[in-house]
Amino acid sequence: MRDDDPALIELLERELNTVSWAEPGELRARARRRSRRTVAAAAAAVLALTSGAAFVAADRGGPPVPVAASPSATAWRATDVPADALLQPSDLRPAVTTPWSEAYLGEEIRLDRMLEVCRRDQGLGTQWATSRYSRSVSLVRERRGTGGQPEGQVLASQDLHRLAPEDGERLFDGLPALLAPCRTWRSTGPVQLRDRTVQAEAVHSWQEVDRGFAGDESVILRHTVEQARRLDTGAPIGTGSGPREQAVVRVGDLVTVLSTRVDGSEAELRELARVAVRRMCVAAHPGC
């Protein structure tokens, strides 16, 4: 997009007119998507075990495969994603008081960075769809940390993208092939223990666990990591971690990626997706 594109100028003016500055305490509590992406890119192959040891997945090196936007087969004009199409604090129980929303242009619809690492480890590229406009929100509840300092508990996070409808359909059609090489992925690397570094292995798995429960198209993806084990002795390391799930839902030309708190249930995620659909309906083309 050129820097003199009227759509870009209009979007920037709209965003500048709505800028508000958060208090320092709120800023510390935010779980901003851009920050999460930066951390993931810098340590994409690092899995934090509950024991505190850092497990590093093998990375064969080489830059990520460049992402190309899918061509649209039909005439279609993108419009901005309105902020009220996102989840709101009142959509959660208990309601939260610190939502943080941001707008973007030309964002990739990335589902899971570790999935990209898995595919690259097998010599496979990952081509993510690219949206024209998108917004993200993290719904955060502040609580007092163990040291008396406030810390943010992310109850839900959402990325909402507008893209050509046929591109959204292709995204869902391509999910089985995207996940197939990573049904069972053995990742090896060094683990730092108290006084030594040992080689260890963890088994990752990605799978679809539900489809068609909301919107025009929907799917729940689950990422499971088995407890890591030492390669030399087979002894377990740490206590493992529970599965993490994402909901991907399409309504018209809008696609959203949703996740709940770390200990959230699949039922909660499914219900949150249905709430998100009701908000997406008023902004989607075509609407509901």
Side-chain angles (χ1 to χ4, degrees), residues 133-202:
Y133 296 108
S134 62
R135 284 184 184 269
S136 68
V137 65
S138 291
L139 298 172
V140 181
R141 182 176 62 192
E142 288 193 357
R143 61 182 179 181
R144 307 302 295 185
T146 55
Q149 296 298 318
E151 60 181 19
Q153 180 190 22
V154 180
L155 300 182
S157 61
Q158 178 186 22
D159 297 334
L160 181 57
H161 305 267
R162 191 183 299 282
L163 70 168
E166 61 270 20
D167 293 343
E169 294 171 3
R170 277 195 288 266
L171 185 152
F172 282 85
D173 291 343
L175 283 177
L178 180 75
L179 301 179
C182 296
R183 301 292 184 191
T184 302
W185 174 50
R186 297 183 179 276
S187 175
T188 60
V191 171
Q192 183 63 48
L193 300 181
R194 293 187 183 87
D195 56 352
R196 70 179 69 181
T197 299
V198 301
Q199 292 293 313
E201 176 186 77

Side-chain angles (χ1 to χ4, degrees), residues 47 99 127:
L47 170 65
Q127 194 171 50

Side-chain angles (χ1 to χ4, degrees), residues 210-221:
D210 198 5
R211 259 192 185 258
F213 55 88
D216 294 329
E217 293 183 280
S218 54
V219 64
I220 289 181
L221 305 178

Side-chain angles (χ1 to χ4, degrees), residues 31-273:
R32 301 177 62 183
R33 180 176 69 158
R34 189 69 78 174
S35 298
R36 295 198 306 269
R37 180 172 299 163
T38 301
V39 172
V46 176
L47 170 65
L49 300 178
T50 55
S51 65
F55 180 76
V56 184
D59 188 347
R60 301 282 173 82
V65 175
V67 177
S70 301
S72 297
T74 59
W76 171 78
R77 185 174 181 271
T79 58
D80 185 19
V81 176
D84 57 6
L86 291 166
L87 291 170
Q88 305 296 317
S90 60
D91 294 329
L92 297 184
R93 295 291 182 272
V96 294
T97 58
T98 53
W100 180 258
S101 176
E102 295 178 298
Y104 304 97
L105 294 168
E107 286 289 299
E108 299 166 0
I109 307 179
R110 275 184 165 172
L111 303 181
D112 189 332
R113 178 67 178 179
M114 281 300 294
L115 178 61
E116 186 174 341
V117 173
C118 166
R119 290 176 59 85
R120 191 171 68 238
D121 187 59
Q122 300 174 71
L124 301 172
T126 306
Q127 194 171 50
W128 303 110
T130 302
S131 61
R132 177 68 181 271
Y133 296 108
S134 62
R135 284 184 184 269
S136 68
V137 65
S138 291
L139 298 172
V140 181
R141 182 176 62 192
E142 288 193 357
R143 61 182 179 181
R144 307 302 295 185
T146 55
Q149 296 298 318
E151 60 181 19
Q153 180 190 22
V154 180
L155 300 182
S157 61
Q158 178 186 22
D159 297 334
L160 181 57
H161 305 267
R162 191 183 299 282
L163 70 168
E166 61 270 20
D167 293 343
E169 294 171 3
R170 277 195 288 266
L171 185 152
F172 282 85
D173 291 343
L175 283 177
L178 180 75
L179 301 179
C182 296
R183 301 292 184 191
T184 302
W185 174 50
R186 297 183 179 276
S187 175
T188 60
V191 171
Q192 183 63 48
L193 300 181
R194 293 187 183 87
D195 56 352
R196 70 179 69 181
T197 299
V198 301
Q199 292 293 313
E201 176 186 77
V203 178
H204 296 248
S205 176
W206 284 266
Q207 58 183 321
E208 293 184 13
V209 295
D210 198 5
R211 259 192 185 258
F213 55 88
D216 294 329
E217 293 183 280
S218 54
V219 64
I220 289 181
L221 305 178
R222 178 180 294 159
H223 176 203
T224 304
V225 186
E226 295 182 6
Q227 186 175 12
R229 294 185 176 276
R230 293 179 56 162
L231 290 180
D232 54 355
T233 65
I237 300 175
T239 57
S241 59
R244 291 291 290 143
E245 289 145 345
Q246 290 178 304
V248 188
V249 182
R250 183 179 70 83
V251 177
D253 63 347
L254 292 178
V255 171
T256 190
V257 181
L258 296 162
S259 60
T260 58
R261 65 186 189 275
V262 172
D263 58 347
S265 68
E266 182 184 325
E268 290 173 335
L269 180 60
R270 191 181 292 105
E271 179 57 30
L272 190 66

